[in-house]
Amino acid sequence: MMKTLFLNPPSFDGFDGGAGSRYQARREVRSFWYPTWLAQPAALVPDSKLIDAPARDLSLEQILPQAKDFELLVLHTSTPSFASDVKVAEAFKKANPTLMIGLVGAHVAVSPEPSVLASEAIDFVGRAEFDYTIKEVAEGRPLAEIDGLSYKVDGKAVHNPERAIIHDMDALPFVTEVYKRDLVIEDYFIGYLQHPYLSLYTGRGCKSRCTFCLWPQTIGGHRYRTRSPESVVEEIALAKKLFPQVKEFFFDDDTFTDDLPRVEEIARGLGRLGVTWSCNAKANVPYETLKVMRDNGLRLLLVGFESGNQQILHNIRKGMRLEFARRFSADCRKLGITIHGTFIIGLPGETQETIEETIRFAKEINPHTIQVSLAAAYPGTELYRQAKENGWLVDEGHSLISDHGLQVSALEYPQLSRQEIFDALAVFYKRFYFRPRKIAEITGEMLRSREMMVRRLREGVEFFHFLRERENQA
């Protein structure tokens, strides 16, 4: 085996949009997801090392001396951070000219040729589901014999056959052992999850066809391939022993609730372990399943509502009706299940009127917390194809984030400008949070827990700083 370093590279301050993040920009409150997409192949390569530079607040200068200690470097990259990540690769190659360097992630999966040709420092890219691809590279196999790989020969890109998707998800080793070996779990925090938390995937792919969603359209696919309930419960039992300080486990599958009988079986297993857990969900889970989940330790559901306008939901193929979302939210409230709701501004069909509808809808269903993001047309998605075809993409080279890591809109419509989309985000946040009902909720939460008070005060300072930065950028 080649001595292998897996790296989530340093980038913009507060940015972790590569190896684990779904939201590729700085957040309103400083947050970090686990680099699970790197931890999984790292678990397949013995004696490898994983460095998550953003979470550890490590600069390039701090990690560069490690270049001489490894034979293979694997960097996870994303569309917003690609140019910066290439510079990291070049610095490592300069420090160790014999170092083989490869890039992985959704960006290179859909643009392998320009990615591998972007710099002489890049030796290969691992396309799509790259776990076993990287394992075979680390084993020293000839690049020409490895499926799912693109590499250079005489300055030209060569693309090997596609790698078959992984069907036996139980064959993948546990990522929690890599977490224990290489990560400091206290580095990872999300505003709506208890701290410290731990997240992992129990499956890949999503049956939904949302036009904007990056991972199913680039890496995971639209078939939900899952680990067995026994495997999931076994890993959580191990994680509970390895990390007794963890207060909450989060399942980061695109839609963990896509298979209801499996969800109920996992929930009962987690209930026997006595852990608190949360997951991604679609707003269509029936009351009976929600109750089984709640009775067995479920605390919170992360739900992508996206819009309060039914036509926009149809436009993005969300497959959700607003009346179902209202009933689902009421069911969760009745059962005491917390909801973190996510919304997107600037999807096809958006107008000032539909933005107003979505703000009213968010206030009506009243998730405990929300995340508002701007529609991002990532290469490889249906939204990107539509944007190119209809002239919604303002500038092909326009960055999805500003120099400060803030998300900006690269989409614009005849009825709604890019600036109007950008400005609406702050308006949404202010109108949702700065109202008596929500202020009372958060104040009550703080008064019940000193730890929560300290945390919410810190997050409040960060949130106001975020809003001020956006106002200055506008």
Side-chain angles (χ1 to χ4, degrees):
M1 278 283 181
M2 301 171 72
K3 287 198 66 178
T4 305
L5 173 62
F6 292 89
L7 177 63
N8 193 23
S11 188
F12 307 91
D13 180 36
F15 176 82
D16 78 330
S21 175
R22 297 172 182 278
Y23 178 59
Q24 297 181 352
R26 276 178 54 204
R27 293 166 181 77
E28 59 277 12
V29 174
R30 188 173 172 88
S31 309
F32 289 105
W33 286 101
Y34 283 79
T36 315
W37 280 106
L38 283 178
Q40 192 66 80
L44 288 165
V45 179
D47 301 319
S48 62
K49 183 174 183 178
L50 169 59
I51 295 179
D52 189 355
R56 283 268 79 194
D57 199 23
L58 296 173
S59 66
L60 176 59
E61 291 72 26
Q62 289 173 298
I63 60 175
L64 197 54
Q66 304 216 33
K68 63 181 184 301
D69 298 328
F70 294 92
E71 300 166 284
L72 173 63
L73 173 65
V74 179
L75 290 92
H76 197 290
T77 188
S78 66
T79 298
S81 66
F82 183 75
S84 172
D85 299 337
V86 168
K87 292 178 182 178
V88 172
E90 290 172 342
F92 268 80
K93 183 73 83 171
K94 183 177 180 180
N96 180 1
T98 65
L99 184 66
M100 179 178 285
I101 300 178
L103 303 181
V104 295
H107 181 84
V108 301
V110 300
S111 304
E113 184 153 334
S115 297
V116 78
L117 296 178
S119 172
E120 286 298 317
I122 301 168
D123 296 297
F124 69 89
V125 301
R127 307 192 306 270
E129 207 167 36
F130 50 81
D131 311 82
Y132 288 106
T133 300
I134 298 303
K135 178 177 182 289
E136 292 174 9
V137 173
E139 288 171 345
R141 296 193 188 187
L143 298 186
E145 298 176 8
I146 301 175
D147 286 349
L149 204 71
S150 294
Y151 59 102
K152 287 195 288 280
V153 174
D154 297 328
K156 295 183 178 180
V158 176
H159 307 290
N160 291 348
E162 295 296 334
R163 178 171 292 275
I165 64 169
I166 301 170
H167 292 284
D168 183 6
M169 298 301 293
D170 282 357
L172 290 169
F174 293 166
V175 296
T176 43
E177 293 174 319
V178 175
Y179 291 176
K180 180 65 176 178
R181 185 190 71 194
D182 292 333
L183 304 180
V184 177
I185 68 165
E186 286 76 13
D187 288 345
Y188 300 91
F189 44 89
I190 298 292
Y192 48 86
L193 297 179
Q194 296 178 1
H195 184 264
Y197 83 97
L198 186 146
S199 71
L200 51 82
Y201 297 97
T202 76
R204 292 179 183 171
C206 181
K207 294 188 292 186
S208 299
R209 299 275 173 172
C210 303
T211 61
F212 62 87
C213 194
L214 180 64
W215 303 108
Q217 297 184 77
T218 57
I219 293 181
H222 289 292
R223 179 186 166 203
Y224 187 31
R225 297 164 288 129
T226 59
R227 294 165 55 185
S228 65
E230 296 80 9
S231 171
V232 175
V233 174
E234 182 184 351
E235 182 162 17
I236 296 303
L238 174 63
K240 188 179 176 183
K241 293 178 182 177
L242 294 176
F243 305 104
Q245 70 271 45
V246 165
K247 294 182 180 178
E248 179 166 20
F249 295 92
F250 186 85
F251 300 118
D252 203 18
D253 305 33
D254 291 295
T255 310
F256 183 73
T257 56
D258 262 355
D259 184 338
L260 296 179
R262 174 177 178 268
V263 166
E264 293 186 13
E265 187 175 350
I266 291 173
R268 292 187 175 97
L270 298 174
R272 290 190 292 272
L273 292 177
V275 298
T276 298
W277 59 282
S278 299
C279 66
N280 289 313
K282 199 170 181 178
N284 62 356
V285 184
Y287 181 90
E288 295 74 18
T289 299
L290 288 172
K291 187 174 186 303
V292 171
M293 296 165 74
R294 190 279 315 269
D295 290 347
N296 287 281
L298 175 73
R299 187 189 70 85
L300 173 144
L301 294 176
L302 191 159
V303 182
F305 295 105
E306 322 310 358
S307 176
N309 177 272
Q310 190 63 61
Q311 184 56 54
I312 288 180
L313 295 178
H314 290 326
N315 293 346
I316 62 173
R317 303 176 192 166
K318 181 68 182 177
M320 183 184 81
R321 298 200 64 83
L322 292 174
E323 58 264 33
F324 294 164
R326 289 186 172 97
R327 184 175 65 195
F328 166 86
S329 299
D331 287 345
C332 287
R333 189 170 298 109
K334 182 177 179 180
L335 289 165
I337 297 170
T338 300
I339 293 178
H340 175 74
T342 64
F343 298 87
I344 301 175
I345 295 172
L347 292 165
E350 194 81 277
T351 64
Q352 289 288 2
E353 290 73 25
T354 61
I355 292 172
E356 181 64 30
E357 281 185 69
T358 300
I359 295 174
R360 288 200 303 266
F361 176 70
K363 291 163 66 177
E364 174 194 346
I365 62 172
N366 195 37
H368 183 59
T369 52
I370 63 170
Q371 174 186 299
V372 185
S373 56
L374 304 182
Y378 289 104
T381 65
E382 175 65 12
L383 179 57
Y384 181 82
R385 185 196 66 77
Q386 292 174 334
K388 291 270 290 182
E389 190 174 277
N390 291 283
W392 301 334
L393 204 58
V394 178
D395 176 7
E396 177 67 19
H398 187 75
S399 175
L400 294 166
I401 56 179
S402 71
D403 293 338
H404 303 290
L406 296 175
Q407 193 180 23
V408 296
S409 178
L411 296 177
E412 186 168 80
Y413 306 100
Q415 75 281 4
L416 196 67
S417 71
R418 181 173 70 185
Q419 188 63 48
E420 288 176 305
I421 294 171
F422 179 87
D423 292 342
L425 186 143
V427 172
F428 197 140
Y429 271 127
K430 290 176 181 177
R431 289 182 55 189
F432 182 84
Y433 280 116
F434 299 168
R435 54 195 171 107
R437 176 182 179 182
K438 184 54 65 177
I439 292 172
E441 281 181 32
I442 294 174
T443 302
E445 182 183 43
M446 293 167 63
L447 291 175
R448 290 189 295 270
S449 166
R450 176 175 173 77
E451 179 185 353
M452 187 58 70
M453 178 175 289
V454 172
R455 177 173 173 175
R456 291 300 187 217
L457 288 173
R458 174 184 60 79
E459 291 172 346
V461 171
E462 293 174 356
F463 181 65
F464 280 106
H465 180 67
F466 166 82
L467 292 178
R468 187 165 58 250
E469 274 193 292
R470 292 190 69 84
E471 289 172 359
N472 292 338
Q473 187 171 307

